[in-house]
Each structure stands twice: as C-alpha cells, then as structure tokens.
Amino acid sequence: MIKDLHPNVVKDIAVAVALEGESVESKTWYVYLINLKDVPLETVLITSKGYGEKNGEQVKTSVLRHSFPVIPPKSFKLIEPIDEATFGLNNEYWLSYYIGKDIFDKKFIFLPESIVDGNFIKLPVVNKPGVMIL
C-alpha cells in the first residue's frame, strides 16, 4: 500500500534571505518565499523559528506562523523581516502548500553563519542580493 503512494517532492521553490538596505548603523534583511514554478501555490503555511547555541547557552526564538491563500507562478512573497543577531543560529522555515489536491512540505534551514557576503547571489524573481535555499 505504501508503495502505491507517490512522493510529493518539492522542486522549484526557494526560501531566501535578502539584503534590503544598508546604513552606517545597520542592515535591513527580509526572508522571502520564491515560487519558480509555472503553477500557483495554494493554502501556503510557513512556520519559522531560530535555535542553537550562543555564548555557551541554548537559545530558541519564538515560533512564528504565516499563511498565504495563493502565491502566483514565477513570483515571491515576503515572509518576515529577520534580525542579524539570529544569523549565528539555525533559522528554520517549514513550508507546506497545495498544488491542486496534492500537499507538499519541506523544511529549509539556514545554518549558523551561512548568511554571509561570500554566499550571496542575485536572487531570481526578487532581483536583490541574498542567500537562497532550493
């Protein structure tokens, strides 16, 4: 019976952290969901949290929940702002969505210190510098 189920593999979906702006005092960062598919994503749910070790102690951030009824094809959606202070933690985004009657889900994790200039690319669709996980 399990052999009859087809795996719902998440492809052409990305979560990205983009640098929005810079001043002398700070940088402004946002997290985006990027739909690179030719079909819309429906009933999109995302949870986000940070966790890890900082200064020898375990740290956890609040769990935030986001929902979007539809994300059109070849588009992006702002998930949330992100503070540079959390870049030393694991930043996890758990995505769930429907395409037709099929449900898909995937966990995207930005590892500590992975959001650095050396990992920047020009983000597709968003057209800003940042770090992306497919």
Side-chain angles (χ1 to χ4, degrees), residues 15 31 45-51 60-66 79-82 90-95 107-108 110:
V15 174
V31 181
L45 302 171
I46 302 169
T47 62
S48 64
K49 67 180 178 180
Y51 57 89
K60 290 183 184 180
T61 67
S62 299
V63 175
L64 302 176
R65 292 170 179 80
H66 311 275
I79 299 173
E80 64 187 17
I82 187 169
N90 294 295
N91 287 284
E92 176 183 298
Y93 296 86
W94 196 335
L95 167 69
K107 197 181 292 187
F108 297 84
F110 291 92

Side-chain angles (χ1 to χ4, degrees), residues 17-31 54 61 80-91 93 111-117 120:
V17 176
L19 177 60
E20 292 291 318
E22 242 178 303
S23 70
V24 175
E25 299 87 32
S26 66
K27 294 180 180 180
T28 304
W29 301 88
Y30 288 110
V31 181
K54 195 165 191 171
T61 67
E80 64 187 17
I82 187 169
D83 189 331
E84 271 186 292
T86 65
F87 289 177
L89 301 174
N90 294 295
N91 287 284
Y93 296 86
L111 297 175
E113 310 304 335
S114 63
I115 305 169
V116 294
D117 291 350
F120 276 20

Side-chain angles (χ1 to χ4, degrees), residues 33 42-46 66-71 77-79:
L33 176 64
E42 299 172 334
T43 316
V44 178
L45 302 171
I46 302 169
H66 311 275
S67 68
F68 307 102
V70 175
I71 298 179
K77 197 62 109 170
L78 172 66
I79 299 173

